[in-house]
Amino acid sequence: MKSRAKHAIRSAAAIVAGCLTLLLLVMVIYLILGIFFPKAYPTVGVVPSIPWAIFLLIWGLLSAAAGAYVTSVICAGSRVWHVFGLMAAILVLGLLFLAGNVYKQPTWYLIAQAVVWMIGAMIGGSVPVAGKSHKG
């Protein structure tokens, strides 16, 4: 029984670590943009210009890929199921961001952000990890 509990705790920790990696990287870029490039920062009712929006979406993709890689490294068991768990957490985060910013930012931008993060998680989860296969 102890082995199962350790396995469950490690699985949960892997998904939480992936989420924290994703969110930390996204928050860092927003902090940098808010200080050095305030027009690039998404504000109430305004999405940054298209080049900045693309940059933010690409950064989100890379951040999600890094989060999924962290999840893959930490997880015990199937990397695929852990990445799916991370994607479920991203979906919940995306819905929370959508609900919290529905009148602050355009809906297309918030939906695109969640979709791009999920694609990034799939990409990061497919990166090979030394000593681990996709199945286990």
Side-chain angles (χ1 to χ4, degrees):
M1 191 66 170
K2 285 185 178 183
S3 176
R4 285 183 121 179
K6 285 182 183 179
H7 185 66
I9 290 170
R10 188 167 173 180
S11 292
I15 294 171
V16 169
C19 283
L20 289 177
T21 301
L22 163 65
L23 293 175
L24 189 75
L25 290 171
V26 168
M27 289 188 312
V28 164
I29 200 67
Y30 278 176
L31 177 66
I32 291 169
L33 290 178
I35 293 170
F36 296 109
F37 304 101
K39 292 192 184 264
Y41 189 79
T43 57
V44 174
V46 177
V47 171
S49 66
I50 297 298
W52 280 114
I54 291 170
F55 171 77
L56 290 172
L57 290 173
I58 290 171
W59 182 261
L61 179 97
L62 297 173
S63 299
Y69 184 77
V70 167
T71 297
S72 294
V73 169
I74 296 173
C75 75
S78 172
R79 291 176 44 208
V80 173
W81 285 110
H82 286 86
V83 171
F84 282 153
L86 177 63
M87 289 172 63
I90 288 171
L91 182 61
V92 169
L93 285 172
L95 291 173
L96 289 173
F97 290 162
L98 180 62
N101 294 307
V102 73
Y103 296 113
K104 298 176 185 173
Q105 293 179 351
T107 304
W108 71 263
Y109 181 73
L110 296 167
I111 292 171
Q113 188 176 34
V115 169
V116 165
W117 287 7
M118 289 177 51
I119 293 168
M122 286 188 284
I123 293 168
S126 66
V127 173
V129 175
K132 292 191 178 186
S133 69
H134 283 291
K135 293 182 181 178

